[in-house]
Amino acid sequence: MVIYRSEQALASEVARACCIAICTHYTLTTQNSYPLALKERAVEMVPRRGPAGVPGTPPHGLAMLRYPIPTMTQAMPSLGRFMAALIIAGGGVMTAEAQDPYASARNRMAEEIAILARETRSETGRAAFSERVMAAMRRVPRHEFVTARERASAYENRPLPIGHGQTISQPFIVALMTDVLEVKPSDRVLEIGTGSGYQAALLAELAGAVYTVEIVEPLARFAKERLARYPNVAVRHGDGFLGWPEHAPYDAIMVTAAPREVPQPLLDQLKAGGRLVVPVGGQFAGQSLLVVEKLLDGRAVRRTVLAVRFVPLTDPAGRQR
């Protein structure tokens, strides 16, 4: 179990307080701060008696307690076991933190996302994202999908450059797009715009199969390496505007770059009853995040979720689609 920073700090303070109390207690005992006779008595409750032998009320409603205070020789075995337990527990916390030093940062990132979800509920219609999505956000190591230069900023809630004029999206937007896609464990998902692979990794945590297309060849290679741990992800270098028809139809499609309009090839590859999430708009004009649902009769119904800003979805020549 991973103990996050706030819990770790609490555990450390409790352990320190216990150690101080125990050491102080036994130091006083060995210095004969208590009468020897008291040390040797058995534990017993002594109620104060009132007149004529009627039990009275101890001060502040408490019973008076006589108890033995052990000598240091008597106390050492128990003290040793207690200190050993503290060391083992502390070592477990340190080991967990050492194994995943970014766990606390991911947890804080998830908390920021939850706050933003509440603040944007009037626009998105969602006061909170699903626990499946939030659990994936806490699991996937974003720092492995950014450049070494940006690693220290990996869990800040902002987009980061990944080279070749591309970015990894703001974590809140990633969580929002993933949530509105409403991926189920059995779904086949198409992603357009792999980038460094972070969004595909999140989708892999939620879906049965993920097919992702990236037009920038060095990024496609980088993402393929990073996504090797996910057996349910396939990466392809190609023109995302055209989709990946060999594996169609898809239950859900996500586009992580902005075309001018919803690409018709992607609508054609979307299963009836499926859902497509895409930012739409010009490179220098306003963009809107859309959710497009394909009805059983083939018609597409769209709704706007939020005003956004994405890099453009381009053709091989670098022009916006």
Side-chain angles (χ1 to χ4, degrees):
M1 180 181 70
V2 175
I3 297 180
Y4 296 109
R5 186 163 297 170
S6 59
E7 295 173 325
Q8 185 178 355
L10 178 60
S12 298
E13 288 301 317
V14 171
R16 185 174 66 173
C18 288
C19 290
I20 292 172
I22 290 171
C23 291
T24 301
H25 176 75
Y26 290 119
T27 299
L28 289 173
T29 301
T30 55
Q31 292 176 350
N32 293 319
S33 297
Y34 298 96
L36 180 61
L38 180 58
K39 297 178 188 177
E40 296 171 347
R41 289 179 186 156
V43 177
E44 59 178 310
M45 299 297 293
V46 185
R48 179 174 295 174
R49 300 213 170 250
V54 178
T57 303
H60 309 297
L62 299 176
M64 296 167 60
L65 180 65
R66 287 208 303 265
Y67 58 92
I69 301 176
T71 64
M72 181 59 79
T73 302
Q74 295 169 327
M76 280 306 294
S78 297
L79 179 58
R81 287 192 296 270
F82 182 76
M83 292 303 295
L86 282 179
I87 292 170
I88 292 171
V93 171
M94 292 178 66
T95 300
E97 185 70 15
Q99 288 176 347
D100 190 355
Y102 293 94
S104 296
R106 276 199 304 278
N107 191 53
R108 289 195 303 274
M109 179 187 74
E111 291 172 357
E112 290 180 23
I113 291 170
I115 292 170
L116 283 173
R118 291 192 294 271
E119 291 177 350
T120 57
R121 63 187 300 177
S122 61
E123 295 146 290
T124 66
R126 293 170 184 257
F129 301 149
S130 77
E131 182 49 42
R132 290 186 71 228
V133 169
M134 295 305 295
M137 296 296 294
R138 288 189 289 265
R139 280 195 303 270
V140 176
R142 191 174 187 244
H143 64 276
E144 294 184 7
F145 295 90
V146 300
T147 63
R149 183 176 181 178
E150 301 293 341
R151 186 159 287 191
S153 304
Y155 295 102
E156 294 177 8
N157 190 36
R158 61 185 178 92
L160 296 171
I162 54 174
H164 308 281
Q166 305 299 305
T167 61
I168 183 173
S169 295
Q170 176 189 8
F172 168 73
I173 293 297
V174 171
L176 172 63
M177 292 178 68
T178 307
D179 196 64
V180 298
L181 197 63
E182 297 183 0
V183 177
K184 297 184 288 295
S186 60
D187 281 354
R188 176 178 299 195
V189 179
L190 173 64
E191 182 200 23
I192 304 302
T194 315
S196 63
Y198 178 61
Q199 178 70 77
L202 288 163
L203 292 171
E205 296 274 346
L206 304 170
V210 178
Y211 298 89
T212 181
V213 183
E214 173 54 53
I215 198 167
V216 180
E217 196 272 337
L219 285 179
R221 281 191 283 105
F222 179 89
K224 191 170 185 178
E225 292 171 2
R226 291 296 183 272
L227 293 166
R229 74 179 73 179
Y230 296 100
N232 60 335
V233 177
V235 181
R236 174 183 179 179
H237 169 232
D239 187 348
F241 185 88
L242 303 175
W244 198 337
E246 292 84 353
H247 299 287
Y250 299 98
D251 299 285
I253 299 176
M254 179 182 290
V255 185
T256 62
R260 296 182 187 278
E261 296 293 340
V262 178
Q264 187 60 45
L266 300 185
L267 283 174
D268 294 340
Q269 293 171 41
L270 184 64
K271 184 183 293 186
R275 178 172 289 213
L276 185 155
V277 175
V278 54
V280 171
Q283 186 173 357
F284 302 106
Q287 297 176 359
S288 297
L289 182 64
L290 303 182
V291 175
V292 182
E293 295 185 59
K294 190 173 184 179
L295 304 182
L296 297 179
D297 61 8
R299 289 183 297 118
V301 177
R302 64 177 68 189
R303 68 179 177 88
T304 300
V305 178
L306 196 68
V308 292
R309 179 76 178 185
F310 277 79
V311 297
L313 183 68
T314 60
D315 63 16
R319 297 177 298 240
Q320 185 180 17
R321 287 288 199 175

